[in-house]
Amino acid sequence: MTTLLIVDGANVVGSVPDGWWKDRRGAAERLRDRLAARAAEGVADLVGPLDVVLVVEGAARGVDPVPGVRIEEAAGSGDDLIVELAAGAAEECVVVTADRELRARVTAEGARAVGPRTVYP
């Protein structure tokens, strides 16, 4: 069974002070590429292959998908979209975020929450 890994792009990128605020889309693209490199083998205790979804919002929208990483663009709240995706997951679902409120919301939907260091840097 494949694990759905939903990544809160804004939160994960924001967890590393590397100048991401100067180019939010570029930062999301770097995260996407890092995720693509790990999708097949897995991350931490999650054995690959993983079904990776990177949720982007605001200035980070417009990031293209690559093999191994699907992109979901939030028209409004990225958190609301993440909860919606987690609630609709047919497989095991893990959400990557440090946002405490979001972690509580996705856990209530049956997902497991892990921190940004699971995937980045």
Side-chain angles (χ1 to χ4, degrees):
M1 183 173 189
T2 304
T3 299
L4 174 61
L5 184 71
I6 302 172
V7 180
D8 180 353
N11 186 270
V12 172
V13 164
S15 71
V16 178
D18 63 357
W20 59 264
W21 52 90
K22 298 175 189 172
D23 180 10
R24 292 172 194 255
R25 185 172 168 187
E29 288 170 340
R30 288 189 300 278
L31 174 58
R32 175 208 57 201
D33 294 345
R34 204 176 272 252
L35 293 168
R38 295 174 155 187
E41 71 236 18
V43 296
D45 67 336
L46 303 174
V47 178
L50 303 172
D51 180 11
V52 180
V53 177
L54 175 59
V55 175
V56 296
E57 59 187 291
R61 287 190 305 230
V63 173
D64 292 324
V66 296
V69 181
R70 187 173 86 216
I71 305 295
E72 289 285 341
E73 294 184 344
S77 166
D79 289 1
D80 290 346
L81 178 56
I82 291 167
V83 172
E84 180 182 322
L85 293 169
E91 64 261 84
E92 176 188 13
C93 179
V94 178
V95 175
V96 182
T97 186
D99 181 318
R100 288 182 183 165
E101 181 181 334
L102 178 57
R103 290 170 74 102
R105 291 175 66 193
V106 298
T107 300
E109 295 296 340
R112 181 164 61 111
V114 297
R117 290 186 186 260
T118 304
V119 298
Y120 193 75

